């Protein structure tokens, strides 16, 4: 999870001393964590080391530099290249632009069809907007869970609706909340882009 149970309880206005639903709320946060990772096409936003193979056809090559995109961003460091420790210095021997576009100077491909890279990416401290996205998803999961109750009833000419898609939260409509969620989400969505 990117956010804590205490943060989530504060987000949905549950008193921190009330532990009645802690297990259920933790499960909802776990589900939201998995859903958020799936929406952004990542395994996790936490900083970790990963291996990626870049095919030669996705590499832009000139006699002076070599350039390609990595899947995960922001790239913190390159650790190994083709199974050998990589000791060049970031911003001196190679650049990382737009969090994932790698440019290496004076590097030759020889006859290799691919480059195998081990690199470190993502965040040591999770940004607050990722925590917010997770809590928004968990809140929607909680809302769906609570929809087991009666949503509306009709008796002769009397009809009462307790909840609908056009609900208003404070002074924000569901459309406003959805727009703010997708705007935040698009910032972290991951795509595999060739040059």
């Amino acid at each position: 999870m990117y956010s804590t149970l205490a943060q989530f309880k504060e987000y949905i206005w549950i008193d921190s001393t009330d532990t009645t639903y802690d297990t259920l709320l933790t499960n909802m946060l776990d589900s939201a964590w998995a859903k958020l990772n799936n929406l952004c096409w990542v395994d996790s936003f936490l900083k970790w080391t990963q291996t990626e193979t870049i095919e030669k056809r996705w590499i832009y090559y000139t006699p002076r530099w070599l350039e390609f995109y990595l899947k995960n961003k922001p790239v913190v460091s390159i650790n190994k290249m083709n199974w050998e420790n990589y000791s060049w210095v970031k911003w001196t021997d190679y650049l990382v632009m737009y969090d994932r576009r790698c440019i290496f100077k004076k590097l030759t491909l020889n006859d290799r069809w691919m480059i195998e890279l081990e690199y470190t990416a993502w965040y040591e401290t999770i940004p607050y907007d990722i925590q917010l996205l997770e809590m928004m998803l968990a809140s929607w999961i909680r809302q769906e869970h609570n929809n087991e109750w009666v949503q509306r009833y009709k008796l002769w000419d009397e009809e009462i609706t307790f909840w609908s898609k056009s609900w208003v939260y404070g002074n924000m409509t569901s459309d406003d909340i959805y727009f703010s969620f997708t705007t935040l989400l698009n910032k972290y969505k991951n795509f595999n882009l060739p040059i």
Side-chain angles (χ1 to χ4, degrees):
M1 295 185 304
Y2 303 125
S3 52
T4 64
L5 179 60
Q7 286 174 312
F8 183 48
K9 287 168 84 170
E10 184 180 342
Y11 179 75
I12 57 175
W13 299 4
I14 292 180
D15 185 19
S16 60
T17 59
D18 182 1
T19 59
T20 311
Y21 300 106
D22 279 6
T23 305
L24 180 62
L25 294 175
T26 301
N27 290 341
M28 289 175 181
L29 270 177
D30 283 338
S31 295
W33 176 83
K35 181 72 172 168
L36 178 59
N37 290 341
N38 189 25
L39 287 171
C40 294
W41 300 346
V42 300
D43 295 323
S44 174
F45 284 107
L46 294 170
K47 184 177 177 181
W48 61 299
T49 301
Q50 48 218 313
T51 304
E52 189 171 335
T53 303
I54 298 99
E55 294 181 36
K56 196 172 185 176
R57 65 185 170 146
W58 302 122
I59 298 172
Y60 179 71
Y61 180 75
T62 72
R64 296 177 63 201
W65 76 84
L66 181 129
E67 179 180 346
F68 51 83
Y69 286 86
L70 292 173
K71 179 182 175 189
N72 295 288
K73 62 181 181 177
V75 173
V76 177
S77 65
I78 305 291
N79 307 328
K80 289 184 180 180
M81 183 178 285
N82 296 329
W83 309 279
E84 294 177 14
N85 287 336
Y86 187 76
S87 59
W88 288 3
V89 180
K90 187 175 179 181
W91 307 119
T92 302
D93 301 309
Y94 70 98
L95 304 173
V96 177
M97 302 179 70
Y98 308 113
D99 291 334
R100 61 189 286 209
R101 179 179 167 197
C102 295
I103 303 170
F104 293 84
K105 69 177 187 178
K106 299 178 188 172
L107 187 67
T108 57
L109 274 179
N110 299 331
D111 293 329
R112 295 188 187 271
W113 285 100
M114 62 189 72
I115 293 176
E116 184 85 19
L117 279 180
E118 181 186 285
Y119 64 101
T120 305
W122 295 116
Y123 304 102
E124 203 156 327
T125 303
I126 296 295
Y128 293 120
D129 48 358
I130 291 178
Q131 293 175 0
L132 177 61
L133 284 167
E134 181 185 48
M135 290 188 290
M136 289 175 90
L137 282 171
S139 177
W140 288 336
I141 292 168
R142 178 174 174 256
Q143 197 170 42
E144 288 300 312
H145 176 76
N146 290 339
N147 279 344
E148 297 167 357
W149 308 97
V150 175
Q151 293 178 24
R152 68 181 214 164
Y153 79 85
K154 183 174 183 177
L155 181 64
W156 297 99
D157 60 344
E158 180 184 45
E159 182 176 353
I160 297 178
T161 302
F162 298 105
W163 182 89
S164 72
K165 295 278 185 189
S166 61
W167 55 272
V168 176
Y169 179 76
N171 58 359
M172 291 180 73
T173 66
S174 58
D175 291 338
D176 295 332
I177 292 172
Y178 176 77
F179 177 74
S180 62
F181 176 81
T182 53
T183 302
L184 283 174
L185 183 68
N186 288 339
K187 179 178 174 184
Y188 294 102
K189 265 191 171 180
N190 205 8
F191 301 97
N192 197 7
L193 297 172
I195 293 176

